[in-house]
Amino acid sequence: MDISINLPDGSSRSIPEGSSVFDLAKSISPGLAKAAVVGVVDGQQVDVSHTLQDGDEVRIVTKKDPEALEVLRHSAAHLMAAAILEEVPGAQLTIGPVTEDGFYYDIYLPEGVSMGEGDFGRIEKKMAQLAKKGQRFERCVAPSRQSDVFREYVAIDGGANKFKEEIIGDLEKLGAFSDAEDAPEVSFYKMGDFIDLCRGPHVPNAKWLKHTKLMKLAGAYWRANAANEQLLRVYGTAFFSKEDLAAHLHMLEEAKKRDHRVLGEQLDLFHFQEDAPGFPFLHPKGTSVYNNLMEFMRVQLHSRSYKEVRTPLILSESAWHTSGHYDNYLENMFFTKRKRRDKDDAQNIIDNADEDRPMAVKPMNCPGHLMIYKHRMHSHHELPLRIAEMGLVHRREASGVRHGMFRVQAFVQDDAHHFCTPEQIEGEIQLLIKFFFEVYGAFDLSDVRLELSTRPEKSIGSDEMWEKAESALKKALDAGGREYQVNEGDGAFYGPKIDFHIRDSLGRSWQCGTIQVDFSMPERFGLEYVGADGARHTPVMLHRACYGSIERFFGIVTEHFAGAFPLWLAPVQVKILPVSEKFNDYAGKVAAKFDDAGVRVEVDYSDERLGYKIRAATMQKVPYLVVVGQKEADGDIINVRWRDGDDIGETTVEAFVEGMPPYTVPALAASLREQTVEAAE
RNA sequence: GCCGUUGUAGCUCAGCUGGUAGAGCAGCUGAUUCGUAAUCAGCAGGUCAGCGGUUCAAGUCCGCUCAACGGCUCCA
């Protein structure tokens, strides 16, 4: 008896009853059979050993398909788990999923069992042995806890493993081991002596897993909850070929060179030191970039009728009680603490002197803006009122989370608050989403992810307020047709938010922009406006930041451009390189002309040869290198090359400056406006 | 905060099983006056993160603290 199988191209094929995906592949071509990783039957991934039924829709996945790599890595995680069980007696397996660039397996190490990166060599060797043996991955479904498969599994890992037991328990709650129609299967995969609970599917055998490498160790919590057991997360990666693995490792090396912490040192932008953990020291060049980022934002704010303000760094604790920060944000705040000298003994310092009026350093700018709003009466004619501040905030961060410029303890937010009527909320949010994307576009940042975060456990305000705020954000997102991910319970304590996430050179995602709706704080601070009806109403407040923090955005931009900043951001835009000391005077004159034109220029007066100066300036990623020697001095000209080596040739300073792309913030902003207008036409 | 790793000159890194520190680059001095990615020579630079312990002797072994790195959790 033959059965008929439907293939993706619309054709159908007859094969003998009882045939597997592998048999089907073989009947098409032996090459395909060899290349088959898994099959997809009626939209469901299955092993190639899966037995087909009459009428099945079947697609055969080979290593060319992107999903094949995930299967490979999932199998590699099992291979690693098998090796770890042998090499680290006592280790217990929990879960082992695939990640974007590899996989990990979370291992529980009971008291007395330890494992470090020093064990990688042994484990990898064992994995290589297992891969060479090439045993099959065999799927076994356990019909009950009493079945042979289940017993075999328990004997190896399940006996005292509460983690796997919890997973099986969850499956049972869904009906596993029952006779129900839709009961989930409890499947195990055997590879030689190793057996593990797993949904599958897997590559046909361990021979596929030769190009696997352990990457790093990390801590993780069971089910991502800090209250649960601490697990050891072992990361690895796997590829179909040696070349792909090598290319991946090379890519990681290259990404490290783009790391803003590395570039910060090389380009003399900033540094950190132990005396001030998480507080960056910005050097002159870093400050130049930083200020230009801020200036660029100021232009954007100005054209959208924001009013810039400055509010105090420190407010009384009572203000933070009013805002709710004291109750909800205490752990992240810096408080002032007074010290006094003993009246009778000046050497004796009283450390815990009582503060008459305890103060706290601001972790957010909102209370200050609320106070400015409240200072006088407002009419509905003024709304929406957009108050902006390049606000320096301080936030205590747990020691393990600081990370270069991406996660610091003091940073400037390009912060603003929109005070508006409830009717204006949606329009304001739509304006903001468009605004933010325009800014990211100006930096050529296209990989921006949106997330909508809803009410967290610790929060202020009524259910009704939260619902209104969340739906306002959703509506604005949907109106713009933007894709977004919902993070339940991740909102700020005063309101839900839309976050804009951007990736760093190593693919880690960082929150930059944010838009938050807040019905609570205006009420807590007693804000009002007089409506058209002559009555007083409470305005709604939107918190928003586009860069998020200048520090973080600086880091993102540094990595995005690998330190080769666009001309308008480059700390040094033109470097003058005299061919020898004889031309230092002429170099100085040329530099003065650039300087007059508002170009950031430096001269290399060192007693080095031209080749050395070119190399030094190139490594500093200075956009334009200007060579001056006898010929240039004689003709009152310059000789220009671009940082990537392209020769621009001989010209005069005046002609060159004239032809330069926008090199100041106002010029850049003007050219971007022109582009937007052109695009609209 | 948790898990793992690390901390040696301004920077990047050597320093084996304990016997009182080295290189390259950067810096300084001198020679050289040079044409598109490193001219030559010399000099100077370190309480080996900090504190405590073991030892005749600690950069090296042990403990604690701090910081950094990779993750987890948390956030801009």
Side-chain angles (χ1 to χ4, degrees):
Chain A
M1 256 290 270
D2 277 4
I3 54 171
S4 171
I5 300 298
N6 299 315
L7 298 171
D9 63 359
S11 69
S12 60
R13 202 170 184 92
S14 285
I15 50 170
E17 195 174 350
S19 292
S20 66
V21 174
F22 180 80
D23 298 327
L24 170 69
K26 209 158 86 178
S27 83
I28 297 169
S29 89
L32 183 61
K34 219 176 139 195
V37 179
V38 287
V40 176
V41 174
D42 298 331
Q44 206 70 32
Q45 275 190 2
V46 297
D47 297 307
V48 292
S49 57
H50 175 85
T51 306
L52 295 170
Q53 307 293 327
D54 189 40
D56 278 349
E57 289 275 343
V58 182
R59 184 161 65 85
I60 291 161
V61 176
T62 68
K63 64 182 173 187
K64 286 187 189 120
D65 299 293
E67 65 216 271
L69 195 55
E70 288 183 17
V71 173
L72 180 88
R73 288 168 173 173
H74 184 199
S75 300
H78 277 249
L79 180 77
M80 180 177 83
I84 289 175
L85 285 194
E86 289 198 33
E87 293 296 329
V88 187
Q92 293 178 15
L93 304 178
T94 69
I95 56 163
V98 171
T99 63
E100 224 164 279
D101 54 5
F103 60 86
Y104 64 80
Y105 214 118
D106 280 350
I107 313 273
Y108 176 67
L109 300 175
E111 198 69 32
V113 180
S114 72
M115 172 180 162
E117 276 173 23
D119 299 308
F120 277 11
R122 267 169 44 226
I123 294 165
E124 283 185 325
K125 205 168 152 194
K126 174 60 75 181
M127 286 166 69
Q129 280 170 14
L130 291 172
K132 201 171 167 195
K133 253 190 185 169
Q135 284 160 318
R136 286 181 53 219
F137 276 99
E138 190 188 342
R139 183 186 177 86
C140 325
V141 174
S144 72
R145 282 176 175 272
Q146 284 70 44
S147 58
D148 291 346
V149 183
F150 197 86
R151 287 202 184 128
E152 189 179 345
Y153 161 69
V154 167
I156 290 182
D157 185 49
N161 186 327
K162 57 168 274 202
F163 307 99
K164 292 283 186 191
E165 183 51 43
E166 206 176 304
I167 296 169
I168 295 167
D170 285 348
L171 285 172
E172 275 179 310
K173 276 182 208 149
L174 292 171
F177 298 141
S178 75
D179 297 329
E181 268 291 296
D182 56 351
E185 285 187 336
V186 180
S187 59
F188 294 88
Y189 276 80
K190 269 163 84 168
M191 183 193 68
D193 299 332
F194 178 70
I195 178 164
D196 191 13
L197 177 71
C198 179
R199 191 183 301 132
H202 280 295
V203 296
N205 62 59
K207 269 200 183 124
W208 289 78
L209 306 173
K210 284 179 182 163
H211 311 293
T212 304
K213 188 170 163 45
L214 301 195
M215 301 299 288
K216 58 200 174 193
L217 281 184
Y221 301 106
W222 172 239
R223 306 232 143 139
N225 185 340
N228 287 344
E229 286 82 356
Q230 174 81 45
L231 307 173
L232 186 67
R233 178 164 296 179
V234 191
Y235 282 90
T237 192
F239 288 89
F240 282 102
S241 72
K242 197 172 155 186
E243 291 72 28
D244 287 354
L245 176 61
H248 176 72
L249 297 177
H250 181 253
M251 187 275 290
L252 287 179
E253 286 302 311
E254 289 302 306
K256 268 190 205 157
K257 291 182 197 163
R258 302 173 73 104
D259 189 316
H260 75 280
R261 291 163 301 182
V262 173
L263 290 167
E265 180 64 46
Q266 278 172 6
L267 305 181
D268 197 16
L269 300 173
F270 53 80
H271 86 269
F272 288 88
Q273 65 186 59
E274 283 201 22
D275 302 292
F279 299 95
F281 292 74
L282 291 202
H283 298 5
K285 286 181 178 144
T287 306
S288 169
V289 177
Y290 191 92
N291 285 341
N292 280 306
L293 286 173
M294 229 157 33
E295 273 321 299
F296 178 71
M297 184 51 72
R298 283 203 166 100
V299 172
Q300 302 303 320
L301 292 170
H302 182 79
S303 68
R304 289 171 179 84
S305 47
Y306 281 84
K307 303 292 174 205
E308 188 171 352
V309 301
R310 288 170 62 78
T311 62
L313 202 60
I314 294 177
L315 296 174
S316 75
E317 270 187 24
S318 65
W320 301 108
H321 276 107
T322 307
S323 68
H325 284 87
Y326 196 92
D327 289 332
N328 294 282
Y329 210 69
L330 181 92
E331 288 77 10
N332 291 294
M333 291 174 67
F334 286 95
F335 290 89
T336 63
K337 190 164 158 193
R338 222 165 152 192
K339 298 195 182 203
R340 285 210 190 97
R341 286 186 194 282
D342 191 328
K343 267 201 306 244
D344 306 316
D345 176 9
Q347 295 305 306
N348 184 25
I349 305 289
I350 301 162
D351 226 341
N352 277 311
D354 273 339
E355 185 82 79
D356 307 327
R357 236 188 133 197
M359 311 289 275
V361 183
K362 68 174 174 185
M364 296 187 194
N365 303 298
C366 26
H369 295 186
L370 286 154
M371 288 167 178
I372 287 182
Y373 180 97
K374 209 191 165 186
H375 192 68
R376 64 170 176 78
M377 186 57 77
H378 293 273
S379 144
H380 68 281
H381 292 300
E382 292 177 65
L383 307 186
L385 180 62
R386 303 177 187 143
I387 295 186
E389 178 175 7
M390 294 296 166
L392 173 60
V393 296
H394 287 70
R395 297 183 186 176
R396 280 187 186 279
E397 297 289 357
S399 64
V401 304
R402 297 190 293 250
H403 188 102
M405 293 292 249
F406 287 155
R407 191 80 179 264
V408 290
Q409 297 202 109
F411 55 98
V412 172
Q413 292 184 306
D414 61 322
D415 205 358
H417 295 90
H418 295 204
F419 297 93
C420 61
T421 67
E423 295 70 40
Q424 290 169 334
I425 298 176
E426 222 182 295
E428 290 298 286
I429 297 173
Q430 284 178 21
L431 172 141
L432 285 171
I433 295 175
K434 188 161 167 271
F435 172 12
F436 290 6
F437 273 101
E438 268 177 47
V439 170
Y440 302 144
F443 293 92
D444 189 31
L445 294 164
S446 51
D447 186 10
V448 179
R449 256 184 32 254
L450 297 188
E451 294 186 7
L452 174 67
S453 299
T454 59
R455 183 170 197 171
E457 268 178 51
K458 250 185 151 185
S459 56
I460 55 176
S462 69
D463 290 350
E464 193 204 338
M465 282 177 178
W466 276 88
E467 214 164 283
K468 267 200 324 209
E470 283 170 17
S471 85
L473 288 173
K474 260 186 214 142
K475 266 200 230 159
L477 281 170
D478 294 337
R482 301 277 179 188
E483 273 186 34
Y484 60 94
Q485 178 194 319
V486 177
N487 292 337
E488 298 292 349
D490 264 355
F493 71 83
Y494 46 77
K497 55 180 188 169
I498 298 172
D499 291 330
F500 296 71
H501 289 252
I502 305 179
R503 287 173 189 280
D504 69 12
S505 65
L506 287 168
R508 292 175 293 215
S509 167
W510 298 91
Q511 181 185 320
C512 292
T514 184
I515 301 172
Q516 312 173 351
V517 185
D518 183 357
F519 290 99
S520 298
M521 258 189 239
E523 202 171 282
R524 294 170 80 102
F525 278 84
L527 303 198
E528 292 178 334
Y529 65 92
V530 179
D533 56 359
R536 295 185 176 199
H537 304 273
T538 306
V540 182
M541 177 160 94
L542 304 181
H543 307 242
R544 45 111 303 181
C546 177
Y547 291 152
S549 94
I550 320 285
E551 282 73 4
R552 180 173 286 180
F553 202 75
F554 181 14
I556 290 279
V557 168
T558 303
E559 299 200 352
H560 181 71
F561 294 113
F565 294 107
L567 183 64
W568 70 277
L569 264 184
V572 178
Q573 295 167 316
V574 170
K575 188 108 185 179
I576 316 286
L577 314 176
V579 170
S580 85
E581 269 175 31
K582 283 198 292 195
F583 310 106
N584 280 359
D585 283 350
Y586 182 64
K589 281 181 200 152
V590 169
K593 283 192 199 171
F594 275 111
D595 192 55
D596 286 346
V599 175
R600 292 186 290 274
V601 62
E602 274 184 2
V603 183
D604 186 342
Y605 285 118
S606 70
D607 179 16
E608 289 288 352
R609 297 182 179 183
L610 184 61
Y612 182 93
K613 294 180 181 182
I614 298 247
R615 181 166 193 270
T618 304
M619 291 199 309
Q620 285 298 302
K621 317 212 180 194
V622 176
Y624 294 111
L625 312 188
V626 168
V627 176
V628 291
Q630 192 65 58
K631 195 172 161 196
E632 288 75 18
D634 288 345
D636 199 21
I637 54 170
I638 54 173
N639 190 327
V640 189
R641 70 178 252 165
W642 178 247
R643 64 183 154 203
D644 67 7
D646 279 1
D647 189 27
I648 294 168
E650 292 175 2
T651 175
T652 62
V653 176
E654 293 74 15
F656 181 68
V657 169
E658 179 71 27
M660 265 164 79
Y663 58 89
T664 63
V665 167
L668 175 83
S671 98
L672 287 176
R673 268 198 298 277
E674 263 170 50
Q675 282 172 29
T676 330
V677 171
E678 273 169 33
E681 276 165 6

